[in-house]
Amino acid sequence: MDVYSVENWGQGHLEAATALVSQLAEELAFVEPGKDTGVLAINALTMDFGDIPTEGAPPGFDAGIQVLRRWVDTVLDSTVTFDPDTIARLGEWHAWMSALLLALEQQQTVPELPAAWQPKPKPKKKTKPAKPASAVPTPKVVNTPPETQAALHALPEHFTLDLARDGEMLREFVRESVELLQDLEQGVLTLESNPQDKATIDSIFRAFHTFKGGAGLVHLPVLAALAHELETLLESVRAGKLDINPEIIECVLAGADALKAFTAQIGLQLDGQGAGSAIASPVQAIVDRVRAALLGQPAQAVSKAAKVSPSSMSTPPSGPPDKTPSTRTAPAPTAAVSTGFVKLDTEKLDNLVNLVGELVIAQSMVVQNPDVQNLNSLQLLRCLRQLSRVTSELQRNAMSLRMVPIRNLFQKMSRLVRDLSAQLGKQIQLELHGEDTELDRNIVEKVGDPLIHMIRNAVDHGLELPDVRTATGKAPTGTIKLSAHHQGGGIVIRIQDDGKGLDSERILAKAIERGLVRPDAALSKEEIYALIFLPGFSTAETVTDLSGRGVGMDVVRGNIDSLRGRVDVQSSPGKGSTFTITLPLTLAIIDGFLVGVGDERYIIPTLSVRESFKPRPGMVSTVHEREEMVTVRGRQTPVLRLGNFLGKGGHAQRPEDGIVVVVESGGVSRGILVDHLIGKQEVVIKSLGPTFENQNLVSGGAVLGDGWVGLILDVDTLVKLPLDHRKSHSPLSTGIHP
């Protein structure tokens, strides 16, 4: 066991791995033995772990990722459900990886990879006499799990679909696969012209891996096996064992064509054409070709893969495979189709979205009605699934009508920076990224003012004059990067500058001088940075047209809070600052954690949730016999017993009997102790009316599937509540029926 420095790897890689570990904990909280819940989500997280560079990583990190990958692949290659042993191992892996990352962050001893997780070495085989030069070695499967290897050796000549059992899932699979395979084909054609494009190689690998997981979930072992072979080929390329060459390009394209043909045939049967008929699977030639490419055999050593088309799959194939070499060209560009636009009153659009929200609530109430659930009707079950699918699709389409690109707002900032730099005598360039990112029109309108304030703040306070920058070894021209991207069901807007950064000592001194904090207050860096958002706070010595009055950043915090978002600040003295705004995609729907406290249910916005876990005995300690604290990643975090505070009691009297949900707002964290997690859910937000006007603990309500109302908790208020968990608030009941 060694002490390892994060500088060898990089702080960004550590933060990325820590975020993935937190997401894995959320998914593991909902997995159940014998069910496929969370399989694809955990598979996606495993892929994300694999994308983190391992150069300079702590010892055991790469091997640990390979262990996780092996376990998840075993699930995908077999029943596509978790068994109790796998769930237990995943929990142990999460604890081990969390300990490794925490030790790395605190520069402590890094735990070793458990020996039991190491793959058993294969016994050495006796050396066989060399074959004659004319003989062709038999292709073999490379790095293939036993389950998939067995499936590959017994590929059926044809298979049939169970449309009654898997019809709905097959439709979803076809929809996702069509887009996935289109992107995959374009990626391969790009790779053909630029074989060293690592990002494209990674994207193609992920596409095959995702396809394999989806095929396993809908019981299509032939497709999963073929995708696995192609994935293995790309894995060898990623690992540097093989170089991209024309033969590998042909193998990947042939496999993609076959998967596309299978998907098309499945789509035809779902549309009623030949439903239930056998689908031929002439893929053995492709599999042999891929295996040969893995062994580095020349193309002529194996027969060329037969071209697979939907028509050839309707009956078992006959005759020898086609020996004619195929010529591939990029798809011809289609003519641009003129799309019409209709001017529409925004009030009508909002009414439509609201009505769709009501429809979603009504549909959920019907599906979860006990009388309906007690009916033993397969036909009714199919109809309800169809209703859910159509309702969800309608909701997505209705919400997309309100989505607009952030481009126009970003471009306005270009003019603002130009004018301010000229006014202040500074040289500044503005870099824009992610202008095509879409979000709710109402949010775009309301986020404009906060962005203007933050850009003005970066120009005035952050970036130095050219001579000052030159004297400190910087380029005379300062840079502000304004970017936007989707992340975790929301949107992240980041304002980054390469200026002088925030002076935490000066900020704290100014806050004490103005009476905003006590002189004896012990604040962390994050809490000090959060002081700049307080009303009346400013470090400017003189009042100008741009700053000095103590207004601006408090407006930013207020506007962002009203949008159910948050602002995070990072800064390095002499290097610059980064302000990160996290917002929901829309104000009409919220993605939340549904938690239970006693007999009540509450909703915590997912964007504010850092992680959730079941505390072990002794993890929660009491300070001064009043305040409860829990250690989260080496940091003491205050605990709020939500049931006690709301006057609802709660069943979890001991912390280890409940669940701690760690939330964060304004750089301040709080562990919320609840009885149990019910699930993650998208809900339509409803106003609570005048009854709740004079409180800030709840920001709205949502009608749940059983018709009862769940209150949406305001995280900003929760993190600022008194630390004494014995103090209670006026009871807030969710027992409200519409």
Side-chain angles (χ1 to χ4, degrees):
M1 306 207 347
D2 302 314
V3 177
Y4 202 76
S5 174
V6 70
E7 296 178 357
N8 298 334
W9 190 25
Q11 184 66 31
H13 298 152
L14 173 62
E15 293 175 355
T18 302
L20 290 176
V21 167
S22 297
Q23 295 177 47
L24 180 62
E26 292 180 11
E27 297 299 336
L28 289 176
F30 298 103
V31 299
E32 297 181 42
K35 295 186 178 181
D36 57 20
T37 305
V39 171
L40 294 184
I42 292 176
N43 177 49
L45 289 174
T46 304
M47 298 290 293
D48 291 339
F49 270 117
D51 288 341
I52 298 177
T54 56
E55 183 178 356
F61 178 81
D62 187 29
I65 300 303
Q66 297 304 319
V67 167
L68 178 63
R69 170 77 183 278
R70 190 172 69 248
W71 291 347
V72 174
D73 277 349
T74 300
V75 173
L76 293 175
D77 294 329
S78 54
T79 60
V80 200
T81 58
F82 289 115
D83 56 45
D85 290 340
T86 301
I87 295 175
R89 287 200 303 267
L90 290 175
E92 293 170 0
W93 188 93
H94 173 267
W96 172 80
M97 181 59 75
S98 298
L100 183 145
L101 297 176
L102 180 60
L104 180 63
E105 183 178 3
Q106 297 181 349
Q107 296 190 356
Q108 297 178 352
T109 302
V110 176
E112 295 180 352
L113 185 72
W117 295 355
Q118 299 283 2
K120 297 180 180 179
K122 296 181 180 179
K124 295 183 178 180
K125 296 182 179 180
K126 294 182 179 180
T127 305
K128 295 182 179 180
K131 295 184 179 181
S134 58
V136 177
T138 302
K140 61 181 180 180
V141 179
V142 180
N143 296 330
T144 305
E147 297 82 355
T148 302
Q149 198 172 51
L152 289 170
H153 290 160
L155 282 177
E157 294 183 358
H158 51 271
F159 62 91
T160 56
L161 303 175
D162 191 339
L163 298 178
R165 180 190 63 183
D166 301 326
E168 191 59 39
M169 295 177 65
L170 283 168
R171 290 186 185 278
E172 186 66 25
F173 170 74
V174 170
R175 276 196 299 271
E176 294 178 354
S177 298
V178 168
E179 182 178 352
L180 194 69
L181 292 171
Q182 286 177 349
D183 294 342
L184 188 151
E185 184 179 76
Q186 292 300 318
V188 175
L189 295 175
T190 300
L191 199 61
E192 193 169 26
S193 60
N194 185 11
Q196 305 302 321
D197 190 339
K198 186 179 184 302
T200 301
I201 295 173
D202 290 342
S203 68
I204 298 172
F205 171 82
R206 289 177 66 96
F208 280 127
H209 191 82
T210 302
F211 191 97
K212 181 182 77 171
L217 198 63
V218 293
H219 309 100
L220 298 174
V222 174
L223 276 68
L226 177 57
H228 177 83
E229 286 290 296
L230 295 163
E231 174 196 22
T232 303
L233 179 62
L234 268 297
E235 174 63 26
S236 295
V237 174
R238 295 175 78 206
K241 299 177 182 178
L242 292 174
D243 293 327
I244 291 293
N245 56 48
E247 175 59 18
I248 291 180
I249 293 291
E250 287 293 325
C251 283
V252 175
L253 284 174
D257 287 346
L259 295 177
K260 189 183 298 184
F262 278 121
T263 304
Q265 184 68 17
I266 295 171
L268 291 175
Q269 292 207 14
L270 289 171
D271 291 338
Q273 300 183 31
S277 61
I279 299 177
S281 54
V283 299
Q284 190 60 52
I286 301 176
V287 171
D288 291 342
R289 188 174 184 180
V290 171
R291 293 175 182 175
L294 277 168
L295 296 174
Q297 293 180 352
Q300 61 268 25
V302 293
S303 61
K304 292 286 184 180
K307 190 166 185 174
V308 181
S309 64
S311 59
S312 69
M313 296 162 56
S314 57
T315 56
S318 61
D322 184 9
K323 300 284 185 176
T324 306
S326 59
T327 303
R328 298 189 182 274
T329 58
T334 57
V337 179
S338 176
T339 56
F341 294 91
V342 177
K343 290 185 178 181
L344 187 66
D345 187 349
T346 55
E347 184 177 353
K348 292 182 179 180
L349 182 61
D350 291 341
N351 288 337
L352 172 63
V353 173
N354 291 335
L355 286 174
V356 171
E358 295 291 342
L359 176 63
V360 172
I361 293 173
Q363 176 266 335
S364 180
M365 292 171 61
V366 170
V367 171
Q368 298 188 30
N369 187 288
D371 294 335
V372 175
Q373 291 183 337
N374 291 332
L375 295 177
N376 188 16
S377 171
L378 183 59
Q379 182 62 31
L380 176 61
L381 181 60
R382 293 173 182 169
C383 292
L384 290 176
R385 287 180 178 174
Q386 177 71 2
L387 174 62
S388 298
R389 187 187 69 81
V390 173
T391 305
S392 298
E393 190 69 25
L394 178 61
Q395 183 184 39
R396 282 194 293 269
N397 278 276
M399 296 309 303
S400 68
L401 297 177
R402 296 173 57 158
M403 297 294 179
V404 296
I406 203 170
R407 177 184 302 275
N408 291 339
L409 179 60
F410 272 22
Q411 290 178 347
K412 292 179 182 177
M413 301 301 115
S414 299
R415 176 62 183 273
L416 176 65
V417 170
R418 176 187 177 277
D419 293 346
L420 291 178
S421 59
Q423 180 179 345
L424 297 173
K426 296 181 178 181
Q427 299 176 13
I428 304 173
Q429 66 175 357
L430 176 66
E431 296 182 5
L432 302 179
H433 304 277
E435 303 101 302
D436 292 328
T437 304
E438 292 187 340
L439 71 164
D440 194 298
R441 170 181 53 83
N442 292 336
I443 294 182
V444 172
E445 293 174 354
K446 294 180 180 180
V447 81
D449 282 345
L451 267 186
I452 290 174
H453 283 298
M454 299 185 81
I455 293 292
R456 289 164 67 101
N457 191 68
V459 173
D460 191 24
H461 292 289
L463 295 175
E464 310 95 329
L465 291 167
D467 55 343
V468 176
R469 293 179 61 87
T470 303
T472 56
K474 296 181 179 179
T477 301
T479 301
I480 297 176
K481 295 180 180 179
L482 179 60
S483 62
H485 65 275
H486 292 131
Q487 177 179 306
I491 183 173
V492 175
I493 300 175
R494 186 168 286 118
I495 304 99
Q496 181 180 6
D497 68 71
D498 63 348
K500 58 186 176 182
L502 298 177
D503 187 337
S504 58
E505 294 182 358
R506 185 181 178 193
I507 291 174
L508 182 58
K510 184 66 69 171
I512 294 174
E513 176 188 326
R514 300 201 173 189
L516 298 176
V517 296
R518 299 192 311 271
D520 59 345
L523 303 180
S524 65
K525 277 286 183 65
E526 291 79 8
E527 292 170 331
I528 293 175
Y529 292 154
L531 294 174
I532 66 176
F533 296 104
L534 293 178
F537 183 86
S538 176
T539 57
E541 300 296 338
T542 58
V543 177
T544 67
D545 292 339
L546 295 179
S547 61
R549 295 184 176 85
V551 296
M553 296 305 284
D554 62 319
V555 174
V556 169
R557 169 57 60 80
N559 287 0
I560 298 302
D561 287 347
S562 69
L563 295 173
R564 304 197 312 273
R566 69 171 190 267
V567 185
D568 298 316
V569 184
Q570 293 177 319
S571 185
S572 298
K575 295 182 179 180
S577 304
T578 301
F579 291 78
T580 303
I581 303 174
T582 306
L583 297 167
L585 286 179
T586 175
L587 296 177
I589 296 177
I590 188 172
D591 189 15
F593 262 41
L594 191 60
V595 301
V597 177
D599 297 327
E600 308 291 349
R601 290 167 294 177
Y602 300 93
I603 299 168
I604 303 176
T606 302
L607 283 177
S608 300
V609 176
R610 287 307 189 194
E611 58 184 303
S612 60
F613 58 89
K614 190 175 185 66
R616 298 187 302 273
M619 276 188 76
V620 177
S621 57
T622 303
V623 180
H624 303 308
E625 298 183 355
R626 295 179 57 190
E627 305 168 0
E628 286 186 309
M629 310 289 285
V630 61
T631 303
V632 182
R633 305 191 185 284
R635 179 180 176 182
Q636 290 291 315
T637 302
V639 174
L640 174 71
R641 292 177 178 257
L642 189 60
N644 290 5
F645 179 76
L646 297 178
K648 310 304 294 185
H651 302 309
Q653 298 302 317
R654 299 181 306 169
E656 54 266 31
D657 295 333
I659 297 289
V660 173
V661 181
V662 180
V663 297
E664 183 175 355
S665 178
V668 182
S669 299
R670 177 68 59 91
I672 309 299
L673 181 64
V674 300
D675 289 345
H676 57 278
L677 294 179
I678 299 174
K680 291 188 295 184
Q681 188 173 339
E682 274 192 354
V683 295
V684 180
I685 301 172
K686 295 293 180 182
S687 172
L688 297 175
T691 305
F692 292 85
E693 278 183 352
N694 298 321
Q695 60 79 43
N696 58 358
L697 183 58
V698 295
S699 57
V703 181
L704 304 177
D706 56 4
W708 291 78
V709 174
L711 297 179
I712 302 171
L713 298 175
D714 188 289
V715 174
D716 189 53
T717 300
L718 289 178
V719 300
K720 296 176 182 176
L721 290 172
L723 295 181
D724 188 353
H725 66 272
R726 296 176 299 180
K727 295 181 179 180
S728 63
H729 192 275
S730 300
L732 287 175
S733 174
T734 60
I736 306 172
H737 199 283

